[in-house]
Amino acid sequence: MRTIQHWIGGKPTEGTSDRRSPVWNPATGQQQAQVILASPADVDEAVQSAATAFLTWSQASLSMRSTILFRFRELVSKRVPELAGIISDEHGKVLSDAAGEVQRGLEVVEFACGLATVLKGEYSDQVSTGTDVFSFRQPLGVVVGITPFNFPIMVPMWMHPVAIACGNTFVLKPSERDPSVSRLIGEMWAEAGLPDGVFNVVNGDKEAVDALLDNPQVAAVSFVGSTPIARYIHRRATTNGKRVQALGGAKNHAIVLPDADIDYASDHVVAAAFGSAGERCMAIASAVAVGGAATDLLAAVTEKAKAVKVGPGRQPGCEMGPVVTSIARDRIVGLIGSGVAQGARLVVDGRTIVVPGHENGFFVGPTVIDEVTTEMDIYREEIFGPVLSVLRSDTVDEAIALINANPYGNGTAIFTSSGEAARRFQRGVNVGMIGINVPIPVPMAYYSFGGWKDSLFGDKHVHGPEGVSFYTRAKVVTSRWPRTDHASDASYLFPTAV
Ligand code: NAD
């Protein structure tokens, strides 16, 4: 059985723990590896390695840092197919989707390659006679990333390229469900010339996470995962005096107006609901049909959901793979059953799907459930599976109110041909990322990614300008170089500009 190790100080290590967790192949239902679950001592070793590396990395020139980032970008982009294969084998998503995830991660690396521009400070000449003021930003120290299973490359890449570009050192605690790619990322950083200890990976579960949150040498924590854990991470790490951004779960709505192109809208709603088997924090979980859109929309999504090609992620032509574990599958199946029991109407039932040759895989077929109401568990819970709930509202304003009453606020979309309705929507919804005729509005890397309400604990979104702000702190210098023959003008008054 293959054993997945940590990556500490520029080399693989097994650490001191004898705890292990299975890594499944979701398409076959077979265990394919085991990952070591770090002990607190292993975590401390990784943090110490990063703390030691910070002493020199924080002094590395901007040109040295950007040279390494450019090399890293080239190494990752040459290995996209290999990385996509590993992701598909452990996560289950189809190869093209996995390659797309690597590409979206690379966009953050490209943003970080421009660090010399984004780290430029400010300068005010002659704020007072003979006095100038300038500001610049410095790294925090050892920063930590704790990441979910659903984007094993992209989500860590929202963090480490920006943190490292800003002069920090990094400890990644990836999901224990699909940890293999993180080790390869460590090797690629090393090949790019990153000094040992600047990027480290500790595999583990709650025990490792808690050791990171409590370690006094950790300056900041970036977390992405489910809302209960995000809330916990934020509380514990801020209590320990750390800077924290903790991105949580989601329940994203797409509203479809009667003036929308229903063919276009239904194509995109179905792709956004069932792509990656719904295991995306930006997946569309709820379609809200406004007024007369309901009949045509329901007919179109029903037909298109039935046509989705489901199978193993590596099989050419497949559009949707399995979900990540049997536990996830059973939970999704249970939530669909609860929807039926609570009065919703099951239109497409994915619970009994069988994929020939992969009978033991963790498959759930595309599921469409109509007449869902906001009190039902299937609406209130984040399902994180291939289930599209259909709700109705009479007006755009009623649909906006429905979205705003939901505790999550990650992403949302409107399908319409009315600029007025789109503008009312974009201004009125309490959600961080909004798509107008775009179902999954994940911002480009030079903007920042983040939700509102229970989808984010902390102030800063990830990557882009807010990521740079999160991983640095500002210094403001007031400077004066008086002439040697200048009479002293020291005063007991609070200094004012003259
Ligand atoms: P998860 O919360 O179970 O795990 C995330 C990380 O936290 C993992 O590294 C895990 O090991 C760790 N963890 C789990 N339980 C813990 C505990 N009790 N104490 C300390 N650490 C713990 O999330 P997941 O199932 O891996 O990922 C899916 C979730 O992530 C969904 O809710 C999804 O919406 C969310 N997500 C959000 C975003 C976003 O940008 N907001 C992006 C991707 C995923």
Side-chain angles (χ1 to χ4, degrees):
M1 179 71 63
R2 183 167 61 92
T3 298
I4 300 163
Q5 301 166 310
H6 316 301
W7 178 263
I8 299 176
K11 52 182 188 308
T13 168
E14 299 228 332
T16 59
S17 164
D18 56 8
R19 294 171 61 237
R20 305 285 186 267
S21 180
V23 177
W24 303 95
N25 181 331
T28 61
Q30 301 296 311
Q31 184 179 349
Q32 55 176 320
Q34 58 175 358
V35 60
I36 301 173
L37 302 176
S39 66
D42 302 331
V43 170
D44 288 350
E45 189 196 336
V47 174
Q48 187 54 53
S49 163
T52 305
F54 180 70
L55 300 176
T56 45
W57 181 246
S58 56
Q59 304 303 318
S61 68
L62 290 177
S63 66
M64 180 188 176
R65 287 188 239 161
S66 54
T67 302
I68 292 170
L69 274 151
F70 272 101
R71 277 198 221 120
F72 178 66
R73 190 226 168 253
E74 289 311 297
L75 290 166
V76 176
S77 45
K78 276 190 196 126
R79 293 174 71 174
V80 172
E82 177 193 353
L83 293 167
I86 298 168
I87 295 171
S88 177
D89 288 346
E90 293 186 358
H91 175 285
K93 64 177 79 173
V94 298
L95 277 181
S96 53
D97 189 31
E101 138 167 28
V102 185
Q103 190 53 44
R104 293 306 305 255
L106 273 170
E107 287 166 11
V108 182
V109 182
E110 285 157 10
F111 166 76
C113 285
L115 68 112
T117 306
V118 298
L119 286 176
K120 269 172 152 172
E122 297 170 314
Y123 196 99
S124 299
D125 174 59
Q126 193 79 339
V127 296
S128 175
T129 307
T131 305
D132 307 323
V133 174
F134 59 96
S135 71
F136 63 101
R137 302 192 72 87
Q138 290 191 311
L140 305 179
V142 179
V143 299
V144 162
I146 302 163
T147 54
F149 80 86
N150 66 322
F151 286 107
I153 276 209
M154 184 188 78
V155 168
M157 277 193 188
W158 287 351
M159 305 167 183
H160 57 82
V162 181
I164 288 171
C166 291
N168 301 282
T169 55
F170 197 87
V171 179
L172 172 64
K173 206 305 281 173
S175 170
E176 60 274 44
R177 282 177 258 174
D178 45 14
S180 288
V181 283
S182 296
R183 156 76 188 278
L184 258 87
I185 293 296
E187 289 175 11
M188 284 185 240
W189 270 123
E191 202 182 333
L194 193 72
D196 292 348
V198 178
F199 177 82
N200 307 275
V201 180
V202 278
N203 290 304
D205 56 3
K206 179 173 170 52
E207 196 171 318
V209 171
D210 288 348
L212 286 166
L213 302 180
D214 294 345
N215 191 307
Q217 295 202 92
V218 170
V221 176
S222 300
F223 171 86
V224 176
S226 59
T227 287
I229 310 298
R231 192 181 272 120
Y232 163 77
I233 301 270
H234 184 260
R235 192 180 310 125
R236 185 154 175 167
T238 52
T239 302
N240 288 335
K242 303 184 194 314
R243 191 179 281 198
V244 185
Q245 51 181 184
L247 282 71
K251 194 82 188 181
N252 306 313
H253 303 70
I255 77 168
V256 181
L257 270 53
D259 63 17
D261 177 335
I262 296 293
D263 194 36
Y264 174 93
S266 56
D267 268 354
H268 284 278
V269 166
V270 165
F274 305 129
S276 201
E279 293 172 318
R280 290 181 182 144
C281 67
M282 293 292 275
I284 292 296
S286 309
V288 184
V290 177
T295 309
D296 290 349
L297 181 70
L298 189 67
V301 295
T302 301
E303 185 194 327
K304 289 170 188 177
K306 286 180 179 162
V308 175
K309 295 187 189 68
V310 181
R314 278 184 180 268
Q315 190 168 298
C318 281
E319 294 167 321
M320 194 186 108
V323 298
V324 67
T325 56
S326 59
I327 296 171
R329 180 198 54 206
D330 296 347
R331 183 175 168 276
I332 296 163
V333 165
L335 276 163
I336 298 169
S338 81
V340 175
Q342 290 170 15
R345 194 167 65 87
L346 196 53
V347 184
V348 184
D349 185 355
R351 289 176 295 182
T352 51
I353 191 170
V354 175
V355 175
H358 290 80
E359 288 77 7
N360 295 323
F362 309 139
F363 290 94
V364 184
T367 297
V368 179
I369 186 156
D370 189 24
E371 294 171 26
V372 171
T373 62
T374 54
E375 302 78 40
M376 294 177 183
D377 291 343
I378 198 163
Y379 177 78
R380 291 190 305 105
E381 299 266 324
E382 182 184 31
I383 304 172
F384 225 55
V387 182
L388 177 67
S389 297
V390 180
L391 295 91
R392 323 284 169 110
S393 73
D394 290 333
T395 63
V396 179
D397 290 334
E398 200 182 302
I400 292 172
L402 185 143
I403 293 170
N404 288 347
N406 192 284
Y408 296 105
N410 214 38
T412 187
I414 183 170
F415 290 89
T416 180
S417 55
S418 159
E420 190 281 326
R423 187 167 184 275
R424 194 148 28 120
F425 181 76
Q426 80 198 16
R427 299 190 76 244
V429 279
N430 295 332
V431 174
M433 295 170 285
I434 297 163
I436 296 171
N437 297 314
V438 172
I440 302 194
V442 174
M444 295 301 288
Y446 35 88
Y447 285 80
S448 299
F449 180 109
W452 286 18
K453 302 194 285 184
D454 283 359
S455 296
L456 174 75
F457 302 87
D459 305 325
K460 298 286 180 192
H461 291 189
V462 289
H463 66 65
E466 296 207 14
V468 173
S469 165
F470 181 79
Y471 288 126
T472 54
R473 54 188 163 181
K475 273 185 176 164
V476 185
V477 180
T478 304
S479 128
R480 189 182 198 196
W481 297 96
R483 287 164 49 147
T484 46
D485 59 352
H486 194 275
S488 168
D489 58 358
S491 165
Y492 290 97
L493 300 177
F494 193 74
T496 50
V498 283

